[in-house]
């Protein structure tokens, strides 16, 4: 039966309230009427899908989009903040060997801003026998890249009587997709196989790379210029753009473009009334055949099977 505008607006209000409560598994079915309210429903479902795909909260992950690659950054420090133990994941993330980390102050691997925040906030916690807090910290890798994350800081007394200890812990992850097959292995080992001279990425370089990322996301229906031209437009060179993008996002620019086009297509198939042909055009694919093949390779189902 046709829904009136008042009913549809109430449904949208209900969805917004569910999202505000942290429920990102609530979605609205598409309406047959093609107007501004219907367009808003599609956009809300897309936003909800994006949040849900990246949603990990207090150890809970959506079973259909469970992160495929989780690396835990964990450090045990003494009461003076010197590193005593590290995990292999920590060494992988920071690109240091254990011997390069152990025995050194953890603040040596932070940005200046984070050093100040960490030292100031932890000072009062060290006065207590046991304490826990969360601090947003920025770590600098051996290549000069910045890893930023909320970190759980736990202060405790060692059972062996060796005094006060500090556990610093956080998780980095790359999200998966439902029905996905053929995920690349070791997605965070982005420099493996690169034999050219590695370049140092400055904060300005990283900002340019993030700008390219945003440009791709906001123009999925458009063809990208050549990498050489794109790099020139953004004020960098082609090699630094390719190398830096893979360092920051763990994949090539072309693969990222295809991945985001497919993800947008999946959301439109599930939450809009657009035909498959319209979705092909909206997501920048050259042909329906090419789109269907790429979609099935990634999600294990054809577009028509997913919609049915």
């Amino acid at each position: 039966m046709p829904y009136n505008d008042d009913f549809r607006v109430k449904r949208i209000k209900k969805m917004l309230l569910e999202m505000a409560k942290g429920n990102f598994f609530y979605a609205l079915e598409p309406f047959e009427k093609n107007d501004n309210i219907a367009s808003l429903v599609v956009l809300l479902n897309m936003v909800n899908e994006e949040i849900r795909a990246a949603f990990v909260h207090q150890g809970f992950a959506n079973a259909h989009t469970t992160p495929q690659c989780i690396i835990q950054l964990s450090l045990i420090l003494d009461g003076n903040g010197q590193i005593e133990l590290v995990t292999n994941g920590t060494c992988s993330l920071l690109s240091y060997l254990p011997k390069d980390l152990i025995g050194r102050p953890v603040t040596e691997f932070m940005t200046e801003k984070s050093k100040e925040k960490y030292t100031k906030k932890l000072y009062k916690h060290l006065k207590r026998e046991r304490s826990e807090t969360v601090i947003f910290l920025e770590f600098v890798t051996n290549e000069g890249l910045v890893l930023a994350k909320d970190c759980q800081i736990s202060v405790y007394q060692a059972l062996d009587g060796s005094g006060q200890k500090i556990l610093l812990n956080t998780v980095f992850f790359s999200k998966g997709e439902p029905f996905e097959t053929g995920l690349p292995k070791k997605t965070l080992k982005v420099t493996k196989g690169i034999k050219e001279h590695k370049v140092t990425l400055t904060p300005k370089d990283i900002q340019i790379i993030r700008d390219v990322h945003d440009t791709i996301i906001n123009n999925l229906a458009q063809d990208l210029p050549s990498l050489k031209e794109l790099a020139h437009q953004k004020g960098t060179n082609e090699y630094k753009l390719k190398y830096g993008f893979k360092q920051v996002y763990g994949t090539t620019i072309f693969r990222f473009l295809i991945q985001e086009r497919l993800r947008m297509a999946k959301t439109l198939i599930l939450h809009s009334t657009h035909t498959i042909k319209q979705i092909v055009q909206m997501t920048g694919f050259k042909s329906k055949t090419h789109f269907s093949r790429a979609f099935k390779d990634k999600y294990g189902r054809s577009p028509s099977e997913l919609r049915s």
Side-chain angles (χ1 to χ4, degrees):
M1 76 177 202
Y3 298 131
N4 59 41
D5 290 350
D6 183 58
F7 174 84
R8 295 194 295 162
V9 169
K10 286 181 179 178
R11 292 295 308 280
I12 290 173
K13 181 181 177 182
K14 169 67 175 174
M15 181 176 182
L16 290 172
L17 289 173
E18 290 297 322
M19 292 174 69
K21 291 188 293 185
N23 178 13
F24 301 108
F25 305 95
Y26 190 96
L28 294 176
E29 70 276 10
F31 298 116
E32 293 182 1
K33 193 174 180 180
N34 188 13
D35 58 7
N36 289 336
I37 296 179
S39 298
L40 180 59
V41 167
V42 172
L43 289 173
L44 279 174
N45 282 327
M46 291 178 68
V47 169
N48 200 39
E49 185 86 11
E50 291 288 331
I51 296 174
R52 184 173 58 193
F55 183 62
V56 173
H57 182 60
Q58 294 181 355
F60 175 82
N62 176 8
H64 295 293
T65 52
T66 303
Q68 301 293 331
C69 182
I70 295 180
I71 295 189
Q72 191 167 4
L73 188 152
S74 293
L75 300 162
I76 293 182
L77 320 171
D78 64 18
N80 296 318
Q82 289 194 328
I83 300 172
E84 291 189 340
L85 290 172
V86 296
T87 61
N88 289 333
T90 302
C91 295
S92 177
L93 284 168
L94 298 178
S95 298
Y96 284 99
L97 295 173
K99 64 182 180 66
D100 297 323
L101 295 170
I102 294 174
R104 296 170 64 181
V106 69
T107 51
E108 285 190 17
F109 305 96
M110 297 180 187
T111 62
E112 290 299 324
K113 184 178 180 180
S114 285
K115 285 181 187 178
E116 182 179 349
K117 182 192 298 184
Y118 174 87
T119 304
K120 182 178 179 180
K121 190 165 185 178
L122 199 63
Y123 178 76
K124 62 180 180 180
H125 289 276
L126 289 172
K127 294 180 179 179
R128 308 170 188 168
E129 185 173 328
R130 296 181 181 277
S131 178
E132 287 193 358
T133 187
V134 175
I135 310 176
F136 182 83
L137 296 175
E138 294 176 332
F139 293 91
V140 182
T141 71
N142 198 20
E143 293 91 358
L145 298 177
V146 174
L147 298 176
K149 202 77 172 178
D150 283 320
C151 298
Q152 181 79 27
I153 311 291
S154 301
V155 177
Y156 64 97
Q157 296 293 325
L159 295 177
D160 61 3
S162 57
Q164 199 171 43
K165 304 293 181 182
I166 303 167
L167 172 63
L168 189 156
N169 190 57
T170 191
V171 171
F172 291 83
F173 65 92
S174 62
K175 57 183 177 295
E177 296 283 352
F179 322 123
E180 187 165 4
T181 59
L183 283 171
K185 296 180 179 179
K186 297 181 180 179
T187 54
L188 295 181
K189 292 279 188 177
V190 296
T191 58
K192 187 175 181 180
I194 296 178
K195 298 186 178 181
E196 297 90 348
H197 175 67
K198 295 179 183 179
V199 297
T200 299
L201 297 174
T202 66
K204 181 180 178 182
D205 293 329
I206 295 174
Q207 185 56 52
I208 288 173
I209 290 163
R210 287 173 176 162
D211 186 43
V212 170
H213 169 277
D214 293 345
T215 298
I216 294 172
I217 291 292
N218 293 322
N219 298 277
L220 292 176
Q222 307 299 320
D223 289 333
L224 279 180
S226 68
L227 292 184
K228 184 175 181 180
E229 184 180 346
L230 182 61
H232 179 72
Q233 291 175 3
K234 301 298 182 180
T236 186
N237 61 66
E238 181 180 357
Y239 175 72
K240 186 174 283 189
L241 176 60
K242 291 195 294 186
Y243 174 83
F245 196 93
K246 196 167 185 181
Q247 283 288 323
V248 175
Y249 294 107
T251 188
T252 66
I253 292 176
F254 177 75
R255 286 178 181 171
F256 178 76
L257 172 64
I258 298 301
Q259 169 189 304
E260 292 305 310
R261 282 176 169 174
L262 289 171
R263 193 143 63 94
M264 179 181 179
K266 175 174 70 68
T267 302
L268 291 171
I269 288 170
L270 291 172
H271 303 299
S272 80
T273 57
H274 294 297
T275 65
I276 300 298
K277 182 177 180 180
Q278 289 173 326
I279 292 172
V280 169
Q281 295 172 342
M282 294 169 68
T283 52
F285 285 94
K286 296 300 182 185
S287 70
K288 185 177 178 180
T289 302
H290 176 217
F291 165 69
S292 297
R293 188 188 309 119
F295 193 93
K296 189 165 186 177
D297 285 344
K298 183 171 180 64
Y299 297 116
R301 298 184 184 183
S302 68
S304 56
E305 287 173 338
L306 186 61
R307 171 159 278 182
S308 60

